Amino acid sequence: MSKQRLPVLWALICLLLFSVSSAGAYNYPFDDRYVATVLSTPAEYAEVLPSEVPVKIETINMFPERKVPGILWNLEEMRYSYIKQDGPAPLIFLIAGTGASFNSAKMQIMQKAFYRAGYHVVSITSPTHPNFIVAASTSGVPGYLEEDSADLYRVMQTIWQTLEKKIEVTDFYLTGYSLGAAQSAFIAKIDEQEKAFNFRKVLLINPPVSLYNSVLILDEMLEHNIPGGADNFSAFYNRLIAAFSDAYAHGQDVQFNDQFLYKTYEHRKPTSDDPLEALIGLDFRISSANMVFTSDVLTKAGYVVPKNLVLKRHDRVTDYSKVLTRLSFLDYFRGLFMPHFQAKDPGLTEVDMIKRTSLRQIEDYLRNSSKFGLIHNEDDIIMLPGEVDYLRDVFGSRAQIFPHGGHCGNMGYPDNIAAMVGFFTNAKN
């Protein structure tokens, strides 16, 4: 072998070794699962996506005959968005996570990534968001996976009826994150029977195994980390708002977003995870309070607002808000949710309903259908010990489990974008 060829071979070996090393590395910046969940993926670590995409926002009216109380006047029509490719292309439906709208920050990441990859994109608000509850929920009482997924399926069909003359579709795909991922699994099962879309591929991103288990974890994050206990919630909330206001006033950001949170975190790093757990729990509690208020008012359940009181557009709701922020998910489950469904089925028990709000309910379908893929994180904060292993067993080689990222914190990281889009583009090609 000539001496002239040795340096070239050495360079090739180094390149090969580097490639193998890079392929196995995962360099998402936060290995603390609570930090990842709160801060997501700061801009300097995130995939570079198009700054603007041609999003169109439309509305549909699923229940034109429904009488909506005045306080919910702006929620009668359901808003959604779509992005259209110039020519024929596959269409992907995106389902938002708990309490999130069609244009939340995580939904915008997914919209841009899939549009850049050549998909028509339709984005749909979570059934736990007030707009969906009023405009598209059959019962007005969200949280029952089967029923919420059936509502989503009807919404998707209605949207498609309005779009089918505008865009040319080659295949239908489906994905969602968090609660939207669990609902995507149930929607796909409905579609096996009704075949309105015949989804070719379905991707579940960070789904809970048991909705009941996950929301109890989120409730405890708030209640176990408020200094002085739950009775000091108002004081804790006021201090938190004051801290954010101070950071905002002395910072350079003009938007309250993930980047603002990241800079605030860099400036004031907490000495433990307790404040971060409380912040995550608070975010969930605010979403939950909005959901419970909307459901209570719409269904006249009399849970927080008196049953015979019809709130008007300009009525003050401050006193109700104080009550709502003290209510846990378990309170909602036992005080409004179960009574509603037990009125329809008196033999229904809490144990029955907990089973029905779990992916274990459709385990055989998930285990045996090749159309599914799963992306998850080993350290997801909404999972009980063993639940990630359960999903790894159910999905086998169709699962991609990242070591870090908390709950959906790494969705904007380049490796995750590549995995998310690659799952579908590999099927498309």
Side-chain angles (χ1 to χ4, degrees):
M1 185 176 292
S2 73
K3 292 183 179 179
Q4 289 79 6
R5 291 169 59 184
L6 284 175
V8 176
L9 284 173
W10 179 245
L12 288 171
I13 291 170
C14 287
L15 182 61
L16 179 61
L17 290 172
F18 176 77
S19 300
V20 171
S21 174
S22 295
Y26 183 66
N27 296 316
Y28 177 72
F30 307 123
D31 58 7
D32 182 311
R33 60 187 189 153
Y34 299 105
V35 174
T37 302
V38 171
L39 301 184
S40 297
T41 308
E44 51 263 57
Y45 301 103
E47 174 75 1
V48 178
L49 294 167
S51 57
E52 299 289 337
V53 289
V55 180
K56 292 186 181 298
I57 297 174
E58 301 285 356
T59 61
I60 54 173
N61 192 338
M62 299 297 293
F63 301 107
E65 73 288 352
R66 178 171 279 177
K67 302 291 185 185
V68 177
I71 193 74
L72 306 176
W73 65 274
N74 60 339
L75 303 173
E76 287 185 80
E77 294 192 331
M78 186 181 145
R79 302 172 76 217
Y80 71 96
S81 74
Y82 74 94
I83 312 175
K84 173 181 173 296
Q85 298 286 344
D86 289 336
L91 184 150
I92 186 163
F93 287 99
L94 313 180
I95 310 298
T98 305
S101 74
F102 66 94
N103 62 354
S104 68
K106 289 182 173 58
M107 290 291 274
Q108 290 188 41
I109 291 172
M110 298 170 77
Q111 289 168 5
K112 292 175 179 177
F114 283 114
Y115 176 74
R116 185 180 67 177
Y119 294 80
H120 306 298
V121 183
V122 173
S123 302
I124 302 177
T125 292
S126 169
T128 55
H129 187 282
N131 188 197
F132 194 105
I133 296 170
V134 174
S137 171
T138 303
S139 68
V141 182
Y144 186 5
L145 273 176
E146 290 181 14
E147 183 176 281
D148 291 349
S149 301
D151 286 337
L152 279 164
Y153 195 65
R154 282 188 287 273
V155 164
M156 292 160 67
Q157 291 179 84
T158 303
I159 291 173
W160 174 233
Q161 288 169 8
T162 68
L163 294 181
E164 61 182 335
K165 293 181 180 177
K166 299 178 183 177
I167 59 179
E168 188 174 349
V169 171
T170 56
D171 272 312
F172 289 99
Y173 296 91
L174 172 64
T175 187
Y177 70 89
S178 191
L179 177 57
Q183 289 157 344
S184 294
F186 279 83
I187 292 168
K189 192 168 190 305
I190 295 170
D191 191 57
E192 299 287 355
Q193 299 296 320
E194 300 197 19
K195 299 188 180 304
F197 301 107
N198 286 307
F199 293 115
R200 191 170 171 195
K201 286 286 180 182
V202 181
L203 179 63
L204 315 183
I205 301 173
N206 290 73
V209 170
S210 162
L211 181 56
Y212 183 84
N213 289 346
S214 292
V215 294
L216 290 188
I217 291 171
L218 290 166
D219 269 339
E220 289 180 355
M221 283 186 193
L222 179 63
E223 294 170 359
H224 292 180
N225 292 289
I226 297 176
D231 288 341
N232 288 324
F233 175 84
S234 296
F236 166 77
Y237 182 79
N238 291 335
R239 284 200 304 274
L240 188 69
I241 294 300
F244 276 127
S245 299
D246 181 62
Y248 188 82
H250 293 88
Q252 297 178 340
D253 289 280
V254 295
Q255 290 184 311
F256 186 88
N257 53 21
D258 292 344
Q259 198 63 14
F260 167 77
L261 285 175
Y262 176 53
K263 290 185 178 179
T264 303
Y265 170 80
E266 286 289 287
H267 182 63
R268 298 182 179 185
K269 284 186 179 178
T271 56
S272 76
D273 282 334
D274 293 357
L276 296 171
E277 290 188 59
L279 190 59
I280 294 165
L282 177 63
D283 180 64
F284 175 70
R285 180 63 58 88
I286 291 172
S287 293
S288 176
N290 290 334
M291 178 190 77
V292 175
F293 176 75
T294 306
S295 177
D296 189 34
V297 171
L298 183 68
T299 63
K300 298 182 172 61
Y303 182 53
V304 174
V305 178
K307 184 172 289 189
N308 296 322
L309 177 64
V310 178
L311 291 174
K312 299 181 179 61
R313 179 171 175 173
H314 298 294
D315 285 347
R316 293 176 63 85
V317 296
T318 305
D319 290 340
Y320 303 121
S321 297
K322 292 177 181 175
V323 176
L324 288 160
T325 52
R326 295 293 305 275
L327 294 174
S328 67
F329 173 81
L330 191 59
D331 293 324
Y332 164 72
F333 182 79
R334 291 177 171 162
L336 198 161
F337 182 84
M338 283 303 299
H340 173 84
F341 289 103
Q342 284 174 328
K344 296 179 177 179
D345 180 3
L348 181 68
T349 67
E350 286 189 7
V351 173
D352 293 334
M353 183 56 88
I354 291 169
K355 288 180 180 175
R356 293 183 188 183
T357 54
S358 168
L359 290 183
R360 295 179 193 272
Q361 182 78 1
I362 55 172
E363 177 184 322
D364 288 345
Y365 173 54
L366 297 175
R367 189 179 288 278
N368 296 308
S369 174
S370 60
K371 69 175 56 177
F372 282 100
L374 172 80
I375 292 177
H376 223 299
N377 294 325
E378 198 74 62
D379 64 350
D380 194 315
I381 61 167
I382 70 165
M383 308 293 272
L384 286 178
E387 289 188 329
V388 172
D389 287 336
Y390 167 77
L391 292 176
R392 185 183 281 114
D393 176 64
V394 169
F395 288 93
S397 62
R398 297 167 295 154
Q400 184 161 8
I401 313 291
F402 289 98
H404 308 298
H407 186 59
C408 299
N410 50 356
M411 283 180 62
Y413 190 64
D415 293 28
N416 292 71
I417 295 286
M420 179 179 72
V421 175
F423 172 76
F424 293 103
T425 52
N426 291 338
K428 186 172 68 170
N429 295 328

